[in-house]
Amino acid sequence: MARVGWVAARADTASGEPQWLRLSVFDDGWVEVPTFGRAVSAVRGDFRTALLNLAGFAVGLAVAWGCLNLAGGTDGAPAVVLRVIGGLLFIASIGMLLARSFLLRFRQRTSWAADGADLRRLKAAGRLPARAAGAPLWRRATTAEEFSSWLTNTTLVRAADVSTVVVTAPSPDDPDQVAEVQLQSGARLRYRSTDRTLGNLLAGFGVRSV
């Protein structure tokens, strides 16, 4: 057996207030680790956004450079128009990159602030995960059972206890991917995440996509 991966997700609780979890998924099940998750769940999305921002900036610069080059080979009004267009594209590209970077940074800082408040609540309630006594420091867990035994305040979900997993794809009205887990005992688990890794990781546990 081996570790498959992890994803940050929100889980429904009896109180109605969502609990952020890190789901560490293995071949034999997964482990719910209460932790901060807002910023972590957006890491992959933020990375894609940053790449798109850089790509847009590069395209804008390329077009602006092309306009300026064309202007150098022409005379009169067309040259002036091309220089103006190239200059405006250059300024617009820089402005868009700065604006999008600022918005991304603002969203990240807001997420980290909320995550910090969650961690303080977990600590005050005595539910903050910690390494169990005797747990190895440098050894990597290979099963969910093993990983769960190395940490306190976690919940183990065994693959043998899972009946079905239904994954609902994001929609315009709900950007989250939702995974509903039906256990053999009749209990239900519900996870939500903007990271589509959630459905991919649970694909080995009888997933049905909706």
Side-chain angles (χ1 to χ4, degrees):
M1 293 185 181
R3 183 171 181 172
V4 179
W6 64 271
V7 65
R10 302 190 309 279
D12 292 342
T13 61
S15 64
E17 183 176 348
Q19 168 68 60
W20 279 97
L21 303 169
R22 171 175 166 149
L23 303 181
S24 293
V25 184
F26 297 78
D27 291 336
D28 64 329
W30 62 87
V31 180
E32 298 179 351
V33 184
T35 183
F36 58 88
R38 292 175 180 83
V40 175
S41 69
V43 166
R44 295 181 177 94
D46 288 346
F47 181 69
R48 287 193 295 267
T49 299
L51 288 180
L52 288 174
N53 290 344
L54 289 175
F57 177 65
V59 170
L61 284 185
V63 175
W65 183 257
C67 290
L68 292 175
N69 277 341
L70 286 175
T74 58
D75 298 319
V80 174
V81 172
L82 286 172
R83 288 191 181 95
V84 171
I85 293 175
L88 290 176
L89 283 174
F90 179 75
I91 295 172
S93 297
I94 294 178
M96 288 296 292
L97 180 63
L98 291 176
R100 290 178 177 178
S101 299
F102 175 79
L103 291 174
L104 180 61
R105 180 63 176 167
F106 177 77
R107 188 172 72 243
Q108 288 175 333
R109 294 185 69 173
T110 303
S111 297
W112 282 114
D115 284 339
D118 286 347
L119 284 177
R120 288 191 291 272
R121 282 195 294 268
L122 286 173
K123 186 175 181 180
R127 296 174 52 232
L128 194 65
R131 185 170 291 275
L137 291 175
W138 306 110
R139 183 180 162 194
R140 183 182 176 89
T142 57
T143 67
E145 192 95 32
E146 188 176 49
F147 185 75
S148 179
S149 68
W150 290 356
L151 292 173
T152 61
N153 297 317
T154 62
T155 302
L156 171 64
V157 181
R158 297 180 177 86
D161 296 333
V162 176
S163 177
T164 59
V165 180
V166 179
V167 176
T168 304
S171 66
D173 297 329
D174 187 356
D176 289 341
Q177 187 177 64
V178 181
E180 297 189 46
V181 182
Q182 175 72 52
L183 301 180
Q184 299 285 356
S185 63
R188 289 178 177 270
L189 305 174
R190 197 164 186 261
Y191 306 115
R192 304 175 64 90
S193 180
T194 55
D195 189 344
R196 298 191 181 187
T197 306
L198 175 64
N200 295 335
L201 290 177
L202 298 183
F205 302 96
V207 166
R208 178 166 58 89
S209 298
V210 176

